[in-house]
């Protein structure tokens, strides 16, 4: 479920393709066709519905925060390396933070996504890049 949550969140930000999310969802569903959560996601109308549904149905005692963080940061690192506009990256990271489940968003390194782009508002790109690079290498 950790990988699926990462993909649905990144799809919402335009960082991964819908095809990549759907491929992963399809594979998970084929492995566990009795899983009602996966069945619902297979038929969900849109990505916002999927995000809401996953957030509402994650079993947090069994959720692997480290696995989630590793998958997320690896994908963010790849996106960061290829992203030409730091302002665009910062905006997507803030939006990503807003969509994280409450049980995750206030923990580090995820909380830093909330304010890592703030130095850009006073022209300090170097500081924002340093913060983002610290996060993605967490």
């Amino acid at each position: 479920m950790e990988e699926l949550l990462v993909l649905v969140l990144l799809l919402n930000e335009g960082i991964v393709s819908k095809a990549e999310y759907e491929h992963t969802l399809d594979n998970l569903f084929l492995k566990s066709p009795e899983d009602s959560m996966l069945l619902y996601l297979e038929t969900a109308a849109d990505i916002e519905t999927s995000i809401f549904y996953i957030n509402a149905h994650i079993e947090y005692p069994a959720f692997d925060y480290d696995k989630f963080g590793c998958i997320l940061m690896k994908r963010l690192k790849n996106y960061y390396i290829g992203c030409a506009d730091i302002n665009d990256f910062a905006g997507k990271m803030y939006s990503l933070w807003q969509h994280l489940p409450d049980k995750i968003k206030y923990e580090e390194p995820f909380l830093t996504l909330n304010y890592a782009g703030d130095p850009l508002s006073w022209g300090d790109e170097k500081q924002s890049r340093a913060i983002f690079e610290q996060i993605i290498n967490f």
Side-chain angles (χ1 to χ4, degrees), residues 6 63-73 76 93-94 96-98 100-101 103-116 135 138:
V6 167
F63 190 78
D64 188 337
Y65 294 95
D66 289 335
K67 181 178 179 182
F68 171 81
C70 287
I71 295 168
L72 179 63
M73 294 311 158
L76 290 181
M93 294 306 99
Y94 179 71
L96 171 63
W97 177 81
Q98 290 178 307
L100 287 172
K103 292 194 182 266
I104 297 171
K105 74 188 324 178
Y106 296 108
E107 301 294 327
E108 289 298 347
F110 314 110
L111 178 60
T112 307
L113 295 171
N114 178 28
Y115 60 83
I135 296 169
F138 188 78

Side-chain angles (χ1 to χ4, degrees), residues 34-70:
E34 72 287 348
D35 188 320
S36 60
M37 179 187 245
L38 294 174
L39 177 61
Y40 179 86
L41 293 172
E42 283 282 349
T43 61
D46 58 42
I47 203 63
E48 285 290 330
T49 301
S50 297
I51 290 172
F52 179 78
Y53 186 82
I54 291 171
N55 284 340
H57 291 88
I58 288 177
E59 296 176 15
Y60 285 101
F63 190 78
D64 188 337
Y65 294 95
D66 289 335
K67 181 178 179 182
F68 171 81
C70 287

Side-chain angles (χ1 to χ4, degrees), residues 85-92 120-121:
D85 184 354
I86 189 68
N87 289 298
D88 181 52
F89 183 81
K92 287 181 185 285
L120 293 172
S121 65

Side-chain angles (χ1 to χ4, degrees), residues 1-30:
M1 194 52 59
E2 294 81 5
E3 182 177 14
L4 196 57
L5 178 58
V6 167
L7 289 173
V8 75
L9 290 168
L10 295 181
L11 174 59
N12 189 55
E13 301 307 323
I15 295 173
V16 300
S17 68
K18 186 172 184 178
E20 188 174 358
Y21 165 73
E22 289 175 345
H23 177 73
T24 301
L25 177 58
D26 291 346
N27 285 338
L28 290 171
F29 182 69
L30 288 173

